[in-house]
Amino acid sequence: MSRKVIAAVLAILAAPALAQEQKSLESKPLDAPASVQAPTSDRVIASDPQTFVAFFEDAGMPARLTEDTVGDPLVEYRSNGDKMSLFFYDCEDNVDCQAVQFYAGYRAENVTLETINSWNTDRRFVRSYLTDEGVARIEMDVATSNDGLSTGDFDALLELWLDSVVLFEDHIKW
């Protein structure tokens, strides 16, 4: 099927939705915005690191915004008394970041590559590895892109992360 035919079919399929959207816009007062995004307090977004600090503090977890060794934002927070880090990635000149990464590292002796591999075999979202210095690390990446994540979705990801930390510490006999 040619690109022109595909484009025509998509235009025909989209027409009812576009008509409904136009009707919806026409019924709004002139001073009403065409679209309304959820308030920032209901979202976390990597381009606004303070939204993560507010999220952690609202959850009863002390947090502070600082920066990592290359100048990108870094949120340090505490969970059950343990200091944890949330790194920011895909930044432009240390701002406008698009993703975050949960991180924890352990200077645990006797953690073998076999132990790390067995962890990774059973996990989908959280990965582990050993550094050249023998530090066992786990990480979990979260893309927030331009629109961010609802605080409910981020809360579920944080719960997955914190549960994984406990499981990992047990796995490496920390």
Side-chain angles (χ1 to χ4, degrees), residues 55-129:
F55 176 91
F56 287 121
E57 288 177 347
D58 288 348
M61 304 167 85
R64 75 180 182 113
L65 178 61
T66 184
E67 62 183 43
D68 66 14
T69 58
V70 297
D72 287 338
L74 167 66
V75 172
E76 295 174 337
Y77 63 99
R78 291 201 174 270
S79 174
N80 297 320
D82 295 327
K83 181 179 167 186
M84 307 193 102
S85 301
L86 185 70
F87 288 90
F88 288 70
Y89 283 92
D90 302 326
C91 307
E92 293 288 329
D93 298 322
N94 309 115
V95 296
D96 295 327
C97 306
Q98 297 290 304
V100 295
Q101 180 186 79
F102 290 99
Y103 165 87
Y106 303 87
R107 290 198 179 276
E109 298 196 19
N110 303 324
V111 176
T112 65
L113 191 54
E114 187 175 86
T115 301
I116 296 296
N117 287 340
S118 69
W119 168 267
N120 288 331
T121 299
D122 295 333
R123 302 295 182 280
R124 180 172 176 197
F125 297 105
V126 180
R127 67 185 168 280
S128 66
Y129 60 95

Side-chain angles (χ1 to χ4, degrees), residues 3-60:
R3 287 185 181 152
K4 288 181 181 179
V5 172
I6 292 172
V9 169
L10 290 174
I12 290 168
L13 292 174
L18 291 173
Q20 180 63 33
E21 181 178 331
Q22 180 63 34
K23 185 176 179 182
S24 173
L25 289 174
E26 289 170 359
S27 66
K28 290 183 181 181
L30 290 177
D31 59 346
S35 66
V36 178
Q37 190 174 17
T40 304
S41 62
D42 292 341
R43 303 190 79 65
V44 292
I45 185 165
S47 61
D48 184 0
Q50 193 61 42
T51 61
F52 291 93
V53 173
F55 176 91
F56 287 121
E57 288 177 347
D58 288 348

Side-chain angles (χ1 to χ4, degrees), residues 44 46 52 86-87 89-90 98-102 125 127 139-145 149 153-154 157-158 160-161:
V44 292
F52 291 93
L86 185 70
F87 288 90
Y89 283 92
D90 302 326
Q98 297 290 304
V100 295
Q101 180 186 79
F102 290 99
F125 297 105
R127 67 185 168 280
E139 299 171 343
M140 183 174 84
D141 292 313
V142 176
T144 69
S145 302
L149 297 171
D153 285 343
F154 188 72
L157 291 168
L158 177 61
L160 170 66
W161 170 251

